[in-house]
Amino acid sequence: MSDSSPARPAAPVLDVWCELQCPDCRSALDDLRALRARYGDRLELRLRHFPLEKHKHAFAAAQAAEEAAEQGQAWPYVEAVLGRVQELDRKGEPFLVEVAGELGLDAEEFDTALIDGRHILIVDADQAEGKAIGVTGTPTYVIDGERLDGGKSQEGLRERVEEIADRLLAEQKA
């Protein structure tokens, strides 16, 4: 017997264009935590990479975040690294492996991933897509086709994301 109940509509997606050596992204962490707490799995927060050339460890950090995702710990890893931006500035790639170990991830696998570059294509693709849609800095949010640039100011951005997410969720119920 087939289940005829309607499939649950896919959650609205919030793309978060982020860079793990970016102090502005670190200050956006509270907003991201609040959004996750408010919506849970009703809003899909998708980490997108936009490493900036001015931060020499950002590209490696993006690759490390992809390895964390592969090991099932993307957001905890992102939050841990962003919370310690100065340490990343100072220590570079060894710090990325150190954080993985602190979170109980396979640090050796992180080290190998950074050496063999297995996640470079994902990071490159995100960066290219970001440039194509007009991302110039981080953090930048995209929800329902609207781009919200948090690199200049994050004032009011979370409220705007919530407005759009609430509207999308209400439309799903209608």
Side-chain angles (χ1 to χ4, degrees):
M1 199 162 89
S2 67
D3 179 12
S4 60
S5 63
R8 204 168 142 227
V13 173
L14 172 64
D15 278 327
V16 182
W17 298 86
C18 182
E19 198 244 62
L20 297 192
Q21 203 176 346
C22 168
D24 290 332
C25 289
R26 187 181 77 189
S27 42
L29 269 179
D30 287 340
D31 283 343
L32 293 174
R33 284 188 191 113
L35 289 167
R36 288 216 314 271
R38 176 172 175 168
Y39 294 103
D41 62 3
R42 294 181 309 132
L43 177 68
E44 183 187 342
L45 261 68
R46 239 181 5 202
L47 176 67
R48 306 300 299 273
H49 304 290
F50 201 78
L52 303 168
E53 280 176 23
K54 65 182 177 182
H55 294 137
K56 66 181 180 201
H57 305 301
F59 195 79
Q63 293 176 67
E66 279 303 312
E67 182 57 34
E70 207 155 275
Q71 294 189 30
Q73 294 287 315
W75 285 109
Y77 186 81
V78 165
E79 289 190 17
V81 173
L82 276 175
R84 294 155 68 187
V85 168
Q86 288 86 358
E87 265 182 275
L88 176 56
D89 288 345
R90 234 181 17 257
K91 297 179 180 171
E93 289 187 24
F95 171 71
L96 297 169
V97 175
E98 184 184 310
V99 170
E102 289 169 10
L103 292 174
L105 298 169
D106 184 340
E108 216 168 282
E109 202 55 40
F110 269 76
D111 202 28
T112 306
L114 290 171
I115 293 164
D116 72 19
R118 69 183 75 155
H119 301 298
I120 286 176
L121 291 177
I122 294 171
V123 177
D124 281 346
D126 271 5
Q127 198 166 30
E129 186 182 330
K131 285 178 180 164
I133 64 166
V135 174
T136 54
T138 55
T140 296
Y141 307 98
V142 178
I143 181 168
D144 196 33
E146 185 170 336
R147 191 177 74 237
L148 305 165
D149 184 354
K152 295 172 185 68
S153 165
Q154 294 178 45
E155 194 65 42
L157 284 191
R158 185 173 92 209
E159 293 76 9
R160 182 69 190 127
V161 167
E162 288 173 349
E163 272 172 36
I164 297 168
D166 289 344
R167 176 177 53 78
L168 291 171
L169 290 165
E171 285 170 6
Q172 281 185 350
K173 287 180 185 157

